[in-house]
Amino acid sequence: MLAMGNVVEEFEKNFAEYIGVKYAVATSSGTAALHIAIMALGIGKNDEVITTPFTFSATADAISFTGAKPVFVDIDSDTYNLDPHLIEKVITSKTKAILPVHLYGLPADMQAIIKIAKKHNLYTIEDAAQSHGAEYKKKKTGSLGTMGCFSFYATKNMTTAEGGMITTNNAKLAEKARMLRNHGSKVKYYHEILGYNYAMTNIEAAMGIEQLKKLDRFNLKRIKNATYFNNVFKKINQITIPKVSPNFKHVFHQYTIRVADREKLIEKLKDKNIGFGTFYPTPLHLQPHNKHYGYKKGDFPIAEKAATEVISLPVHPSLSRSNLDLITATVRSLYE
Ligand SMILES: *Cc1c(COP(=O)(O)O)cnc(C)c1O
């Protein structure tokens, strides 16, 4: 059986156990997971979902797929995550959910977000596509909100090449997500609702089972690499290192710093053949495909500023000590 079967079920069971939830539903991608999680909650046309503009496009696209409107609020300049203080101002009678992203592997301020969600009777959907194994108050991301959505794309903390997962403690939502993933059917060739072909294959799940066993080890190495960088870069005035408060476990999907003279640093890194990324250069409210929502430049100044100043350095588990030293020496050569 190459397509979805018992290996997928085993991966789902293992993943649910790891995250600390009752149910996990495997999907063909993280984007598919977000799409059907939002749909499973009954969110669609004329509804609004509050999210961050400083994320990968898929976060807001999944909201748009359902016919709902992504309503953006600005980020916190230290954590790059949704600023809870700004959420209540944009809640309307159409708001159905808050969709925080745990960007770069750092959990969003879930206590504050869930408090607001409860007060206004909203769902919380976690975009945990970058935060496999990250924790808030010792609880894993993906177990904190109504539903969690993971991606196993090739660059994530664990991978199945392409793939995704929904996590939840709600049996009805899990069942609805399973149907939406599988052409709207529980029984083969009997379609109760309009659904999609968003299934994971047994091949991908077999990879996922092995990757999950290594995830904690991978994350530990990422954290060690990040700590190594922090100890060097904290002494450089022109660099702001990642801020991680007590109660938050950051798993460094990206090691992202804020720098002066980003273009000069990029030249230096290119010179030494060191990989880097700017996540994300264009906030979502300024993306051409979101133009019809009516946002404009200046609406989310903290996200817009971060987009011009952040740079992510290699932090993956396969970096050697000499790789790390080359990276720190190259960065220091610009600023010291
Ligand atoms: C990767 C990612 C997604 C989408 O996941 P895919 O598996 O690539 O579809 C969604 N949100 C965020 C924040 C991501 O990083």
Side-chain angles (χ1 to χ4, degrees):
M1 179 58 125
L2 297 175
M4 192 167 64
N6 62 329
V7 187
V8 174
E9 271 175 44
E10 185 185 338
F11 182 35
E12 288 177 337
K13 195 175 144 278
N14 295 357
F15 198 78
E17 205 168 286
Y18 177 81
I19 297 300
V21 293
K22 286 188 190 144
Y23 311 99
V25 181
T27 57
S28 53
S29 72
T31 308
L34 283 163
H35 182 192
I36 60 177
I38 298 165
M39 278 194 83
L41 291 165
I43 295 168
K45 208 165 180 289
N46 296 322
D47 294 332
E48 295 177 353
V49 178
I50 296 169
T51 193
T52 164
F54 197 55
T55 176
F56 181 53
S57 187
T59 308
D61 293 348
I63 299 168
S64 299
F65 291 164
T66 70
K69 179 187 174 187
V71 172
F72 298 115
V73 300
D74 214 343
I75 55 168
D76 178 286
S77 64
D78 289 331
T79 65
Y80 308 106
N81 280 327
L82 201 58
D83 184 346
H85 300 100
L86 305 172
I87 292 174
E88 284 196 291
K89 282 182 221 155
V90 299
I91 293 176
T92 70
S93 59
K94 294 178 176 178
T95 310
K96 291 293 182 304
I98 307 171
L99 202 167
V101 180
H102 308 303
L103 197 73
Y104 306 143
L106 175 69
D109 186 351
M110 292 306 288
Q111 186 164 306
I113 290 168
I114 289 169
K115 194 172 164 202
I116 295 165
K118 284 202 170 131
K119 181 173 158 199
H120 296 272
N121 206 14
L122 306 173
Y123 301 117
T124 315
I125 306 158
E126 297 171 71
D127 183 337
Q130 302 187 357
S131 65
H132 320 65
E135 294 174 7
Y136 176 71
K137 290 196 171 169
K138 306 271 178 215
K139 284 183 77 183
K140 293 217 161 55
T141 58
S143 73
L144 301 155
T146 319
M147 298 178 103
C149 300
F150 290 85
S151 163
F152 304 120
Y153 181 68
T155 59
K156 310 290 173 161
N157 292 43
M158 61 173 282
T159 185
T160 61
E162 290 273 14
M165 192 79 83
I166 296 170
T167 50
T168 183
N169 283 311
N170 184 309
K172 283 210 174 94
L173 291 174
E175 187 183 44
K176 187 89 183 282
R178 281 183 207 288
M179 288 171 72
L180 286 165
R181 166 185 72 177
N182 197 21
H183 302 282
S185 48
K186 270 185 257 178
V187 177
K188 210 165 182 168
Y189 304 125
Y190 187 74
H191 307 275
E192 291 179 50
I193 54 172
L194 184 64
Y196 300 85
N197 179 8
Y198 279 171
M200 179 181 274
T201 64
N202 267 355
I203 301 172
E204 290 163 328
M207 257 177 98
I209 288 168
E210 294 309 309
Q211 285 272 300
L212 183 59
K213 291 178 191 164
K214 301 176 185 171
L215 177 61
D216 283 338
R217 184 151 51 83
F218 286 159
N219 281 344
L220 193 65
K221 188 77 198 310
R222 284 175 181 273
I223 293 164
K224 278 191 178 153
N225 291 343
T227 307
Y228 186 87
F229 287 146
N230 280 343
N231 285 332
V232 177
F233 298 151
K234 71 183 177 196
K235 297 174 196 139
I236 302 174
N237 282 336
Q238 298 97 320
I239 296 178
T240 308
I241 62 171
K243 186 182 168 187
V244 187
S245 301
N247 292 326
F248 290 78
K249 181 180 175 185
H250 194 324
V251 292
F252 293 98
H253 169 61
Q254 299 294 347
Y255 179 80
T256 304
I257 53 177
R258 214 189 252 273
V259 297
D261 291 326
R262 186 170 71 177
E263 288 314 309
K264 279 190 194 148
L265 178 58
I266 287 173
E267 284 314 308
K268 289 258 182 203
L269 294 167
K270 280 184 177 165
D271 255 10
K272 300 284 181 198
N273 211 14
I274 297 168
F276 66 92
T278 51
F279 307 107
Y280 291 89
T282 305
L284 300 192
H285 66 292
L286 301 177
Q287 295 284 357
H289 75 303
N290 287 329
K291 208 170 180 175
H292 61 289
Y293 291 126
Y295 291 105
K296 59 184 188 312
K297 206 170 160 76
D299 282 348
F300 307 108
I302 298 169
E304 289 170 29
K305 186 160 188 283
T308 67
E309 293 179 349
V310 293
I311 184 161
S312 302
L313 300 171
V315 72
H316 61 82
S318 309
L319 290 173
S320 65
R321 178 63 186 259
S322 66
N323 292 151
L324 293 170
D325 287 337
L326 177 67
I327 295 164
T328 52
T330 305
V331 175
R332 288 173 66 178
S333 74
L334 177 64
Y335 296 111
E336 287 186 354

